[in-house]
Amino acid sequence: MPAARRMPGAIAPVTHADPAPLAALSSRSLKGRLRVPGDKSISHRALMLGALAAGRTRIRGLLEAEDVVNTARAVTALGAPARKDGDVWEVLGRGVGGLAQPDGPIDFGNSGTGTRLMMGVIAPHDITVSMVGDASLSKRPMGRVLGPLKQMGLEVEGDRDRLPLTIRGTSRLVPITYALPVPSAQLKSAILLAGLGAAGETTVIEREATRDHTERMLRHFGAEVTTVQRDGATHITITGDAELEGREVTVPGDPSSAAFLVAAALIVPGSDITIQGVLVNPTRTGFYTTLQEMGGDVTLLDQREEGGEPVADIRVRCAELSGGAVPAERAPSMIDEYPMLAVVAAFARGATRMDGLAELKVKESDRLAATAAGLAANGVRAEAAGDTLVVHGEGRVTGGGLVATHLDHRIAMSFLVMGLASAAPVTVDDTAMIATSFPEFRSLMEQIGAQFGGGGA
Ligand code: S3P
């Protein structure tokens, strides 16, 4: 990763030097009340909409993880400085159409969300931007976003569909109506963000509901967004030539980070933990629904609304789990949680079948293959075929394996959780990438009683 320019008041970007292996050891019961850091999806969007709004945006609870820091650096490079002032992040927005030509390439590190959403942010500006990323990000498909943005008027040098690539926006973007070919909130969001600067109404049609944080936050910043159900699909329309105003944003706890703590408490005998202030937007809670169906003692307490999003405290106690079936239509609401669910399923009794996992193959790694390999390395019987994963749970896991993480934070965290409840320690080959989404993972786990050791970290 190239050396980064420091922003005044901003945290330093994380750089990954050598791999940092770590082993998770069989742990005593996990106990405590705690919070998890801010939601990653909402944090990215708050910075981007702050940059596109006129005036000052103040963000409380922003996730200070590498992916989001890269987005803060990106908006700063585009002329909308993001910096930390006490506990609050401030973005000085330039208004839609007001972003400036950056001095050099922008590095998005490991973040698909940062890259894809920023393509939409950049699209309505007369600027040329080179985008680069790490080895994992450089393998991920960008054509799905560039296709519709090109229809709107974006130009892509050399017609590439993988990073590194250079894009040229235009202040004469044309609105489109676009039916999503894959259930992707990143794709939907990139088109809606570009639509902010198009001359007219841009509509995205989605058949399967994906996370709706962009729609919610666009409205919060003053954009006109309408949502209509028609012929079994949701039509989301944004009015272009929009003017956004700087706002206050509060970011709730990330349910995708909380998932690791919840899973650990479910499988480590005698555990009882409560995680406070977690986002429970129904487009994100498929994992929690699934755990409840499998017999998990997972309760959402004190459900309330904070900053335009539903939030709750989540109490989890260790429980006997049985296998289950996760329908394909639930996939978008728990897409980042499948590696963790597969590990939990190994501790359940009976088979757990997960369908509709095509999108899992194009995440930070091929998560379907990486999860299946990690299970096999630890003595768990599982079959990955097509878009389906079946895990044969036996109520206990032997462990003792070394898991290849492929630069994927969620693979690393999922298998570390496995080691807390398996007979022999589980080692992951690298933990450095955990900092991309959840730098406090190890310390919060240790705070509730998890044991780690060896592996050189
Ligand atoms: C995200 C959308 C999902 C998810 C990612 C965050 C977002 O990706 O996996 O971690 O913030 O919009 P896709 O849109 O590719 O499904």
Side-chain angles (χ1 to χ4, degrees), residues 356-389:
L357 304 186
E359 282 296 296
L360 219 54
K361 300 174 190 169
V362 290
K363 296 296 177 188
E364 285 82 331
S365 68
D366 175 347
R367 284 190 179 151
L368 188 51
T371 300
L375 292 170
N378 287 286
V380 179
R381 217 153 50 80
E383 294 124 30
D387 298 340
T388 297
L389 176 65

mmCIF file of all heavy atoms in Angstrom, residues 356-389:
data_model
loop_
_atom_site.group_PDB
_atom_site.id
_atom_site.type_symbol
_atom_site.label_atom_id
_atom_site.label_comp_id
_atom_site.label_asym_id
_atom_site.label_seq_id
_atom_site.Cartn_x
_atom_site.Cartn_y
_atom_site.Cartn_z
ATOM 1 N N GLY A 356 -28.630 -20.114 -2.334
ATOM 2 C CA GLY A 356 -28.586 -18.765 -2.931
ATOM 3 C C GLY A 356 -27.327 -17.998 -2.599
ATOM 4 O O GLY A 356 -27.363 -16.789 -2.367
ATOM 5 N N LEU A 357 -26.170 -18.699 -2.610
ATOM 6 C CA LEU A 357 -24.929 -18.068 -2.149
ATOM 7 C C LEU A 357 -24.035 -17.541 -3.272
ATOM 8 O O LEU A 357 -22.838 -17.326 -3.051
ATOM 9 C CB LEU A 357 -24.136 -19.062 -1.283
ATOM 10 C CG LEU A 357 -24.883 -19.651 -0.079
ATOM 11 C CD1 LEU A 357 -23.948 -20.493 0.777
ATOM 12 C CD2 LEU A 357 -25.514 -18.553 0.766
ATOM 13 N N ALA A 358 -24.581 -17.310 -4.459
ATOM 14 C CA ALA A 358 -23.729 -16.895 -5.594
ATOM 15 C C ALA A 358 -22.879 -15.671 -5.252
ATOM 16 O O ALA A 358 -21.684 -15.612 -5.572
ATOM 17 C CB ALA A 358 -24.606 -16.604 -6.808
ATOM 18 N N GLU A 359 -23.476 -14.686 -4.589
ATOM 19 C CA GLU A 359 -22.748 -13.440 -4.307
ATOM 20 C C GLU A 359 -21.583 -13.645 -3.321
ATOM 21 O O GLU A 359 -20.679 -12.827 -3.252
ATOM 22 C CB GLU A 359 -23.701 -12.372 -3.779
ATOM 23 C CG GLU A 359 -24.530 -11.719 -4.867
ATOM 24 C CD GLU A 359 -23.679 -10.945 -5.877
ATOM 25 O OE1 GLU A 359 -23.041 -9.970 -5.484
ATOM 26 O OE2 GLU A 359 -23.648 -11.347 -7.053
ATOM 27 N N LEU A 360 -21.644 -14.748 -2.586
ATOM 28 C CA LEU A 360 -20.574 -15.027 -1.615
ATOM 29 C C LEU A 360 -19.227 -15.254 -2.300
ATOM 30 O O LEU A 360 -18.170 -15.076 -1.706
ATOM 31 C CB LEU A 360 -20.965 -16.285 -0.831
ATOM 32 C CG LEU A 360 -20.676 -16.326 0.648
ATOM 33 C CD1 LEU A 360 -21.278 -15.133 1.338
ATOM 34 C CD2 LEU A 360 -21.219 -17.611 1.244
ATOM 35 N N LYS A 361 -19.296 -15.615 -3.581
ATOM 36 C CA LYS A 361 -18.060 -15.958 -4.305
ATOM 37 C C LYS A 361 -17.296 -14.731 -4.754
ATOM 38 O O LYS A 361 -16.166 -14.843 -5.214
ATOM 39 C CB LYS A 361 -18.408 -16.831 -5.522
ATOM 40 C CG LYS A 361 -19.103 -18.119 -5.154
ATOM 41 C CD LYS A 361 -19.545 -18.860 -6.422
ATOM 42 C CE LYS A 361 -20.458 -20.010 -6.068
ATOM 43 N NZ LYS A 361 -21.120 -20.589 -7.240
ATOM 44 N N VAL A 362 -17.922 -13.530 -4.678
ATOM 45 C CA VAL A 362 -17.248 -12.320 -5.179
ATOM 46 C C VAL A 362 -17.059 -11.290 -4.066
ATOM 47 O O VAL A 362 -17.048 -10.095 -4.304
ATOM 48 C CB VAL A 362 -17.987 -11.690 -6.388
ATOM 49 C CG1 VAL A 362 -17.857 -12.581 -7.610
ATOM 50 C CG2 VAL A 362 -19.473 -11.426 -6.079
ATOM 51 N N LYS A 363 -16.892 -11.783 -2.848
ATOM 52 C CA LYS A 363 -16.615 -10.888 -1.715
ATOM 53 C C LYS A 363 -15.095 -10.698 -1.597
ATOM 54 O O LYS A 363 -14.365 -10.934 -2.540
ATOM 55 C CB LYS A 363 -17.233 -11.450 -0.436
ATOM 56 C CG LYS A 363 -18.755 -11.509 -0.489
ATOM 57 C CD LYS A 363 -19.333 -10.112 -0.596
ATOM 58 C CE LYS A 363 -20.839 -10.114 -0.720
ATOM 59 N NZ LYS A 363 -21.375 -8.795 -1.013
ATOM 60 N N GLU A 364 -14.609 -10.289 -0.426
ATOM 61 C CA GLU A 364 -13.179 -10.027 -0.257
ATOM 62 C C GLU A 364 -12.346 -11.253 -0.644
ATOM 63 O O GLU A 364 -11.168 -11.144 -0.992
ATOM 64 C CB GLU A 364 -12.888 -9.589 1.184
ATOM 65 C CG GLU A 364 -13.325 -8.160 1.489
ATOM 66 C CD GLU A 364 -14.811 -7.995 1.821
ATOM 67 O OE1 GLU A 364 -15.651 -8.786 1.324
ATOM 68 O OE2 GLU A 364 -15.140 -7.042 2.572
ATOM 69 N N SER A 365 -12.963 -12.441 -0.510
ATOM 70 C CA SER A 365 -12.407 -13.664 -1.101
ATOM 71 C C SER A 365 -13.597 -14.432 -1.662
ATOM 72 O O SER A 365 -14.729 -13.992 -1.519
ATOM 73 C CB SER A 365 -11.723 -14.515 -0.016
ATOM 74 O OG SER A 365 -12.687 -15.028 0.894
ATOM 75 N N ASP A 366 -13.319 -15.583 -2.289
ATOM 76 C CA ASP A 366 -14.431 -16.501 -2.604
ATOM 77 C C ASP A 366 -14.819 -17.128 -1.268
ATOM 78 O O ASP A 366 -14.224 -18.117 -0.833
ATOM 79 C CB ASP A 366 -13.982 -17.548 -3.632
ATOM 80 C CG ASP A 366 -15.068 -18.597 -3.887
ATOM 81 O OD1 ASP A 366 -16.049 -18.664 -3.099
ATOM 82 O OD2 ASP A 366 -14.927 -19.353 -4.862
ATOM 83 N N ARG A 367 -15.793 -16.516 -0.615
ATOM 84 C CA ARG A 367 -16.107 -16.943 0.761
ATOM 85 C C ARG A 367 -16.736 -18.322 0.824
ATOM 86 O O ARG A 367 -16.662 -18.985 1.865
ATOM 87 C CB ARG A 367 -17.039 -15.921 1.434
ATOM 88 C CG ARG A 367 -16.309 -14.697 1.863
ATOM 89 C CD ARG A 367 -17.153 -13.780 2.733
ATOM 90 N NE ARG A 367 -16.335 -12.638 3.101
ATOM 91 C CZ ARG A 367 -16.806 -11.421 3.366
ATOM 92 N NH1 ARG A 367 -18.103 -11.180 3.294
ATOM 93 N NH2 ARG A 367 -15.987 -10.451 3.709
ATOM 94 N N LEU A 368 -17.356 -18.761 -0.246
ATOM 95 C CA LEU A 368 -17.944 -20.103 -0.236
ATOM 96 C C LEU A 368 -16.805 -21.119 -0.167
ATOM 97 O O LEU A 368 -16.798 -22.018 0.685
ATOM 98 C CB LEU A 368 -18.806 -20.289 -1.492
ATOM 99 C CG LEU A 368 -19.657 -21.540 -1.568
ATOM 100 C CD1 LEU A 368 -20.496 -21.731 -0.309
ATOM 101 C CD2 LEU A 368 -20.575 -21.493 -2.785
ATOM 102 N N ALA A 369 -15.802 -20.948 -1.029
ATOM 103 C CA ALA A 369 -14.670 -21.875 -1.053
ATOM 104 C C ALA A 369 -13.844 -21.752 0.225
ATOM 105 O O ALA A 369 -13.438 -22.767 0.819
ATOM 106 C CB ALA A 369 -13.802 -21.592 -2.284
ATOM 107 N N ALA A 370 -13.601 -20.517 0.673
ATOM 108 C CA ALA A 370 -12.752 -20.317 1.862
ATOM 109 C C ALA A 370 -13.423 -20.900 3.110
ATOM 110 O O ALA A 370 -12.755 -21.490 3.968
ATOM 111 C CB ALA A 370 -12.475 -18.829 2.062
ATOM 112 N N THR A 371 -14.751 -20.765 3.199
ATOM 113 C CA THR A 371 -15.472 -21.302 4.356
ATOM 114 C C THR A 371 -15.441 -22.832 4.332
ATOM 115 O O THR A 371 -15.142 -23.475 5.346
ATOM 116 C CB THR A 371 -16.938 -20.798 4.357
ATOM 117 O OG1 THR A 371 -16.913 -19.372 4.421
ATOM 118 C CG2 THR A 371 -17.723 -21.345 5.532
ATOM 119 N N ALA A 372 -15.721 -23.399 3.160
ATOM 120 C CA ALA A 372 -15.721 -24.868 3.052
ATOM 121 C C ALA A 372 -14.345 -25.419 3.407
ATOM 122 O O ALA A 372 -14.217 -26.416 4.133
ATOM 123 C CB ALA A 372 -16.137 -25.285 1.646
ATOM 124 N N ALA A 373 -13.286 -24.745 2.933
ATOM 125 C CA ALA A 373 -11.924 -25.222 3.214
ATOM 126 C C ALA A 373 -11.605 -25.100 4.704
ATOM 127 O O ALA A 373 -10.981 -25.995 5.293
ATOM 128 C CB ALA A 373 -10.914 -24.427 2.372
ATOM 129 N N GLY A 374 -12.025 -24.018 5.325
ATOM 130 C CA GLY A 374 -11.773 -23.822 6.760
ATOM 131 C C GLY A 374 -12.493 -24.861 7.601
ATOM 132 O O GLY A 374 -11.954 -25.372 8.591
ATOM 133 N N LEU A 375 -13.718 -25.207 7.211
ATOM 134 C CA LEU A 375 -14.469 -26.236 7.932
ATOM 135 C C LEU A 375 -13.754 -27.581 7.807
ATOM 136 O O LEU A 375 -13.529 -28.284 8.798
ATOM 137 C CB LEU A 375 -15.899 -26.339 7.371
ATOM 138 C CG LEU A 375 -16.826 -25.140 7.622
ATOM 139 C CD1 LEU A 375 -18.114 -25.274 6.804
ATOM 140 C CD2 LEU A 375 -17.161 -24.981 9.107
ATOM 141 N N ALA A 376 -13.358 -27.904 6.571
ATOM 142 C CA ALA A 376 -12.686 -29.193 6.336
ATOM 143 C C ALA A 376 -11.390 -29.281 7.146
ATOM 144 O O ALA A 376 -11.077 -30.320 7.738
ATOM 145 C CB ALA A 376 -12.409 -29.366 4.849
ATOM 146 N N ALA A 377 -10.628 -28.172 7.207
ATOM 147 C CA ALA A 377 -9.350 -28.175 7.930
ATOM 148 C C ALA A 377 -9.547 -28.444 9.422
ATOM 149 O O ALA A 377 -8.604 -28.822 10.116
ATOM 150 C CB ALA A 377 -8.651 -26.829 7.730
ATOM 151 N N ASN A 378 -10.780 -28.246 9.905
ATOM 152 C CA ASN A 378 -11.037 -28.438 11.331
ATOM 153 C C ASN A 378 -11.944 -29.628 11.617
ATOM 154 O O ASN A 378 -12.570 -29.712 12.677
ATOM 155 C CB ASN A 378 -11.623 -27.146 11.913
ATOM 156 C CG ASN A 378 -10.541 -26.081 12.011
ATOM 157 O OD1 ASN A 378 -9.674 -26.165 12.880
ATOM 158 N ND2 ASN A 378 -10.562 -25.113 11.099
ATOM 159 N N GLY A 379 -12.028 -30.526 10.630
ATOM 160 C CA GLY A 379 -12.731 -31.787 10.853
ATOM 161 C C GLY A 379 -14.240 -31.706 10.742
ATOM 162 O O GLY A 379 -14.945 -32.598 11.218
ATOM 163 N N VAL A 380 -14.758 -30.634 10.109
ATOM 164 C CA VAL A 380 -16.218 -30.502 9.962
ATOM 165 C C VAL A 380 -16.604 -30.975 8.561
ATOM 166 O O VAL A 380 -15.978 -30.564 7.572
ATOM 167 C CB VAL A 380 -16.666 -29.033 10.153
ATOM 168 C CG1 VAL A 380 -18.186 -28.910 9.968
ATOM 169 C CG2 VAL A 380 -16.236 -28.511 11.519
ATOM 170 N N ARG A 381 -17.618 -31.800 8.482
ATOM 171 C CA ARG A 381 -18.097 -32.282 7.194
ATOM 172 C C ARG A 381 -19.012 -31.242 6.571
ATOM 173 O O ARG A 381 -19.956 -30.766 7.218
ATOM 174 C CB ARG A 381 -18.875 -33.589 7.399
ATOM 175 C CG ARG A 381 -18.686 -34.620 6.303
ATOM 176 C CD ARG A 381 -18.909 -36.017 6.843
ATOM 177 N NE ARG A 381 -20.157 -36.132 7.594
ATOM 178 C CZ ARG A 381 -21.374 -36.281 7.051
ATOM 179 N NH1 ARG A 381 -21.519 -36.296 5.726
ATOM 180 N NH2 ARG A 381 -22.441 -36.417 7.809
ATOM 181 N N ALA A 382 -18.691 -30.833 5.339
ATOM 182 C CA ALA A 382 -19.510 -29.817 4.658
ATOM 183 C C ALA A 382 -19.383 -30.028 3.157
ATOM 184 O O ALA A 382 -18.382 -30.549 2.679
ATOM 185 C CB ALA A 382 -19.019 -28.419 5.016
ATOM 186 N N GLU A 383 -20.445 -29.645 2.428
ATOM 187 C CA GLU A 383 -20.392 -29.729 0.960
ATOM 188 C C GLU A 383 -20.781 -28.398 0.363
ATOM 189 O O GLU A 383 -21.834 -27.852 0.692
ATOM 190 C CB GLU A 383 -21.393 -30.758 0.425
ATOM 191 C CG GLU A 383 -21.118 -32.185 0.798
ATOM 192 C CD GLU A 383 -22.305 -32.812 1.513
ATOM 193 O OE1 GLU A 383 -23.453 -32.410 1.239
ATOM 194 O OE2 GLU A 383 -22.058 -33.685 2.374
ATOM 195 N N ALA A 384 -19.899 -27.865 -0.511
ATOM 196 C CA ALA A 384 -20.236 -26.662 -1.271
ATOM 197 C C ALA A 384 -20.435 -27.106 -2.707
ATOM 198 O O ALA A 384 -19.528 -27.674 -3.318
ATOM 199 C CB ALA A 384 -19.111 -25.641 -1.184
ATOM 200 N N ALA A 385 -21.635 -26.884 -3.246
ATOM 201 C CA ALA A 385 -21.905 -27.268 -4.638
ATOM 202 C C ALA A 385 -22.807 -26.212 -5.246
ATOM 203 O O ALA A 385 -23.837 -25.866 -4.664
ATOM 204 C CB ALA A 385 -22.575 -28.634 -4.690
ATOM 205 N N GLY A 386 -22.403 -25.673 -6.400
ATOM 206 C CA GLY A 386 -23.188 -24.604 -7.013
ATOM 207 C C GLY A 386 -23.250 -23.417 -6.068
ATOM 208 O O GLY A 386 -22.227 -22.946 -5.568
ATOM 209 N N ASP A 387 -24.475 -22.977 -5.777
ATOM 210 C CA ASP A 387 -24.655 -21.824 -4.883
ATOM 211 C C ASP A 387 -25.138 -22.260 -3.506
ATOM 212 O O ASP A 387 -25.778 -21.497 -2.786
ATOM 213 C CB ASP A 387 -25.693 -20.856 -5.486
ATOM 214 C CG ASP A 387 -25.239 -20.308 -6.825
ATOM 215 O OD1 ASP A 387 -24.028 -20.363 -7.095
ATOM 216 O OD2 ASP A 387 -26.102 -19.847 -7.599
ATOM 217 N N THR A 388 -24.849 -23.513 -3.147
ATOM 218 C CA THR A 388 -25.373 -24.070 -1.885
ATOM 219 C C THR A 388 -24.243 -24.583 -1.007
ATOM 220 O O THR A 388 -23.268 -25.155 -1.497
ATOM 221 C CB THR A 388 -26.355 -25.219 -2.203
ATOM 222 O OG1 THR A 388 -27.469 -24.670 -2.927
ATOM 223 C CG2 THR A 388 -26.872 -25.899 -0.939
ATOM 224 N N LEU A 389 -24.398 -24.353 0.287
ATOM 225 C CA LEU A 389 -23.462 -24.927 1.268
ATOM 226 C C LEU A 389 -24.285 -25.728 2.264
ATOM 227 O O LEU A 389 -25.289 -25.241 2.788
ATOM 228 C CB LEU A 389 -22.710 -23.799 1.993
ATOM 229 C CG LEU A 389 -21.755 -24.212 3.117
ATOM 230 C CD1 LEU A 389 -20.572 -25.037 2.566
ATOM 231 C CD2 LEU A 389 -21.200 -22.975 3.842
#
